Each structure stands twice: as C-alpha cells, then as structure tokens.
Amino acid sequence: MTYIPKNMNHYAHAAMNLINMDSENRVVLNVGGIRHETYKATLKKIPATRLSRLTEALANYDPILNEYFFDRHPGVFAQVLNYYRTGKLHYPTDVCGPLFEEELEFWGLDSNQVEPCCWMTYTQHRDTQETLAVLDRLDLDTEKPSEEELARKFGFEEDYYKGTISWWQEMKPRIWSLFDEPYSSNAAKTIGVVSVFFICISILSFCLKTHPDMRVPIVHNVTVKTANGSAAWFLDKSMTNAHIAFFYIECVCNAWFTFEILVRFISSPNKCEFLKSSVNIIDYIATLSFYIDLVLQRFASHLENADILEFFSIIRIMRLFKLTRHSSGLKILIQTFRASAKELTLLVFFLVLGIVIFASLVYYAERIQPNPHNDFNSIPLGLWWALVTMTTVGYGDMAPKTYIGMFVGALCALAGVLTIALPVPVIVSNFAMYYSHTQARAKLPKKRRRVLPVEQPRQARLPGERAPGGVSGCGTPGSGPHSGPMGSGGTGPRRMNNKTKDLVSPKSDMAFSFD
C-alpha cells in the first residue's frame, strides 16, 4: 500500500480547483461550424459589443455542448476574435469588403478600427462602389427597362398601378427611347445612324466650305477713265463666298437637328434636366447659331466687319460631343478627365511654374554673353519658348544661342518631360478602371436569381406544452429560438432542456420532444 502525504492530496485538490476555475472562465463559440475557444475576460476587453454581453439565457446557447452558435462567416470571425485578443483589427483578403462590413456590424465593431497596413486593401471596395455609381449615372446599360420602371421614370406610376394610362403616356417612353437610347431597339439604332450621318455631314460641310476651290468669287465691274479721256472697265474680285450647295446642305442638316431637339424635349421625362444637360446645351446653341447666321446675312451683310460674325459659327463643331450618346467609350473618356481633374490641375500648375522660371532664366542667360542674334528680347517672348519646349513641341522659331542659354534649354526640356509624364499614369489607370468595370457590367447576366428569406422550422411540441419564450420549456422568458436581439441571426433552434430528448422521424425533419 502506497503512502500519499497529506500535502500531496492538498496540491492535487488545488490543481483540480484551478482546472475547474479555468474551464469556467473559458467560452466556446461555434461560428459557421468552426469552434473557437477563448476566455470570457478576453471578450470583455471591448465593451458594448455582441460578444461582451454573452449569457446562457440567449437563444443560441447550447447547454449540452456548452457553446454559443452563430451562423456567420467563420473566416471573418477569426479576425474578429483576434481583434479581441490583440487589440488590432486586420482585413482578410479572401472576402469582399461589403461582407466584412456586414460582419463587423453584426458583431458590434467599428470598421474604422482597421489597421493602417490593411486600410488601403479594405477601402478598395468603396472606390469600386463609387465607380459603379458613376457608371450608373452615365447610363451605359443597354438592358431594356420594365414597364414599372418606365412609369416611375416618366412620373405616371400611380396611373400605371390604376391601369388608366393614356395613349400619350404610352407613346412618350417609346419616342424618348427612339431618339435618346440608340441601343434600345432596331428602330432606335436606325435613327441613331441617321443622327450620326447628319452630324458628320454638317462638320464636313463646315470644314470644306473654307477651302479656296470650294468658294465662289464675287466680281464687280469697275469703270475708270483713261489718260485720253475714254472710259475703260475691268473686273475686280472683292471677296469670295462659299458655294451655294453648302447652304442647302446646312439647311437640311439643321432641319433634322431642330426636329430632333424638339422631339427629345417634348418626350423627355424631366424638362429641367434636359435643359441643363451639357450635350443638349451644345446642341441647341449650335442649332440656334445657324438661324442667327441666316438673320445676320440677311440684315447685316452690308457691314464692314460682317465676316467676324462667322466666327461664332465655330460652335457647330462642338456637335461632335453629341456622339457621346452613341459611344460608351467617349462617355468613359470624358468621365476619366472629370475624375482626373485634380491631377490635370496639378499638371497645369507645374507647367505654369516651370514656364515662368525658365522664361526668366533664358532671358537673362542670353544677355550675359555677347549675342547679336538674340531672340529673347523680353520675358513674355521667353514664355512662348518655354511653353513650346516643356511640351516637347519645339517649333524652332526661337532658340538660345549662348552656352548658358543652351544649358537652360536642356533643363527646360527635361523638366517638361518629367512634369508631363508624372500625372499620365493616374489618368491611364482611371480610364482602365472605368473601362474594365463597364466591360464587366456588360457581361453580367441580365436576370439573376433572388435569394428568398426562409424562416427556420420550429420544434413541434405535444399538446399542453408551453411555446418557446414562456416560463417553461427552453429556459428564461423571451429566450426562445426566434426571440431576443442577441440571437444568432437566423440560426434556428439549437437549445434543448436537460430533461428533453429529441426523436427525429426518418420520413420528416420534424422533431418531437418528450419530457
């Protein structure tokens, strides 16, 4: 018989007490089927969160397994639990940003506590959401909207639900889609082709009528007296006008533009937004300039400076921006310049700074040595040279002649190359980002399956037994499987009373409980 000292029994009893105390201080969390074990004191480090308020009265506590069950993403929870342990919240790269935000919101944590090392990766989804919102405003989708969406867009949603739509309310969206949405139907594509044809013909006519071979001279018969007193005459070409054919071409083109503007304005869903649109402003100003030109030619052609008035007709070239309605690439390009406004402003600032500095330097550098052929008589002339040099154009009309001036010119050229090259990658990346998202949206399936919210099945109970949430059955009042704000978010019933056994029928998923 082995003798065991009393102090050894004391040590063993103390060790058992420590083990029991340690097990009581630990908690088991089953998240998405993966069990995590930690200390209760660890979960108390971040107060006012879901895990800091765990009690055995919650519906997602299983007394048999002695664990809390949460039907949430297990990968994100690993980082959440690590945040409680270390006080540092890191972003897992294998999940999407919105999912990570939803999980943090469920656990009651602030997403702004993400560590700086993961912040850029974590906030990429916000940039993506902003990009998608911009593409939504650009209206690049070619999917045909439903009748309900059209009724909401054109403001007769109530009449649509009542079934009292008039013939004009029915025709208005069709007319609008014909003239403003080129990819909505084959007829809209035809009208879009006609519109592009008239735009190209108008621009081509505007350019060709300035060619000398396309102009007709205006000849006057001038009579003069000779030295012997007899009369003589000769033909004098005072000016030239464009051929009459260009006038008829412009009349036909502007008749189409006028008709298109009126139809689109009448059938537009929002008149104010139509008038404020930049492309529409260019359209009706360019069309109005044609009629103003006709009036001036009729009543002001006798003025000496009447040709200056033709300068305002240059706005008709701006009709090229109407092509953005027919090309998503042009819309993306314009949006790229809008998104890169800060970089372009920075580029202009550094260019102006460099132009002023190098213009001043080359002016004084050319005056240090004797230089009889000095092209830089003033700093304003040097500004033109610095602009041409920094933009790497180099007309060659002005060039430094001294060695110091040549050195300044070399520095100016190098500074210009670096200044222009720095913001270019940012602009290219913005265009690639918008273009890639546009291509991805175009490849998305038109009809996507919806996920319906399914209520978890409840346990079937014998007659006379209280339902969950009462004073008997599954514990404390309000602790049933579907009650309490601290539930598991749709985890279903997992708690069982200690005296309850579940018998599952082989033909059904319904569980019967017997006391």
Side-chain angles (χ1 to χ4, degrees), residues 92-242:
T93 57
D94 58 341
V95 298
C96 191
L99 173 61
F100 186 68
E101 287 185 345
E102 291 179 3
E103 292 296 315
L104 292 183
E105 183 180 359
F106 175 80
W107 298 112
L109 300 176
D110 186 9
S111 59
N112 293 325
Q113 300 300 322
V114 176
E115 290 297 305
C117 59
C118 302
W119 182 256
M120 292 300 297
T121 307
Y122 163 63
T123 55
Q124 284 181 356
H125 76 280
R126 299 181 181 178
D127 299 334
T128 303
Q129 289 175 341
E130 292 178 359
T131 303
L132 295 177
V134 170
L135 295 179
D136 288 336
R137 291 195 299 268
L138 292 180
D139 195 16
L140 299 176
D141 292 334
T142 58
E143 184 179 359
K144 187 176 181 180
S146 62
E147 295 182 357
E148 182 179 357
E149 292 175 347
L150 288 176
R152 188 181 302 111
K153 179 179 180 180
F154 284 84
F156 52 87
E157 189 175 3
E158 295 182 359
D159 295 335
Y160 172 77
Y161 289 127
K162 294 179 181 178
T164 58
I165 300 178
S166 62
W167 68 271
W168 172 243
Q169 291 175 336
E170 186 176 356
M171 292 298 298
K172 189 176 180 180
R174 297 181 182 179
I175 297 174
W176 173 256
S177 62
L178 280 177
F179 284 86
D180 197 74
E181 299 173 0
Y183 299 99
S184 59
S185 62
N186 292 329
K189 291 180 181 179
T190 303
I191 294 179
V193 170
V194 172
S195 179
V196 172
F197 171 77
F198 279 112
I199 291 174
C200 295
I201 291 297
S202 175
I203 300 301
L204 186 63
S205 172
F206 180 80
C207 296
L208 288 180
K209 72 178 183 180
T210 60
H211 195 277
D213 296 337
M214 300 292 180
R215 300 184 69 86
V216 178
I218 298 178
V219 180
H220 295 281
N221 187 0
V222 180
T223 303
V224 296
K225 289 184 179 182
T226 61
N228 56 7
S230 61
W233 59 271
F234 66 93
L235 298 178
D236 181 31
K237 185 179 73 172
S238 60
M239 58 181 300
T240 59
N241 284 336

Side-chain angles (χ1 to χ4, degrees), residues 250-293:
E250 289 189 356
C251 287
V252 175
C253 293
N254 283 274
W256 167 260
F257 295 143
T258 305
F259 170 74
E260 187 181 21
I261 291 173
L262 292 177
V263 171
R264 292 177 63 240
F265 177 74
I266 294 173
S267 61
S268 63
N270 192 321
K271 300 296 189 296
C272 294
E273 291 184 1
F274 181 86
L275 293 175
K276 292 186 296 184
S277 175
S278 57
V279 177
N280 294 333
I281 291 175
I282 294 174
D283 195 7
Y284 50 71
I285 289 180
T287 305
L288 187 62
S289 67
F290 170 75
Y291 295 106
I292 294 176
D293 193 18

Side-chain angles (χ1 to χ4, degrees), residues 444-472:
L444 283 176
K446 302 302 179 182
K447 295 182 180 180
R448 310 183 71 180
R449 180 179 297 177
R450 296 181 179 179
V451 180
L452 300 178
V454 179
E455 185 179 0
Q456 296 292 337
R458 299 184 179 182
Q459 289 183 346
R461 297 179 178 273
L462 295 177
E465 188 176 4
R466 294 180 180 271
V471 293
S472 65

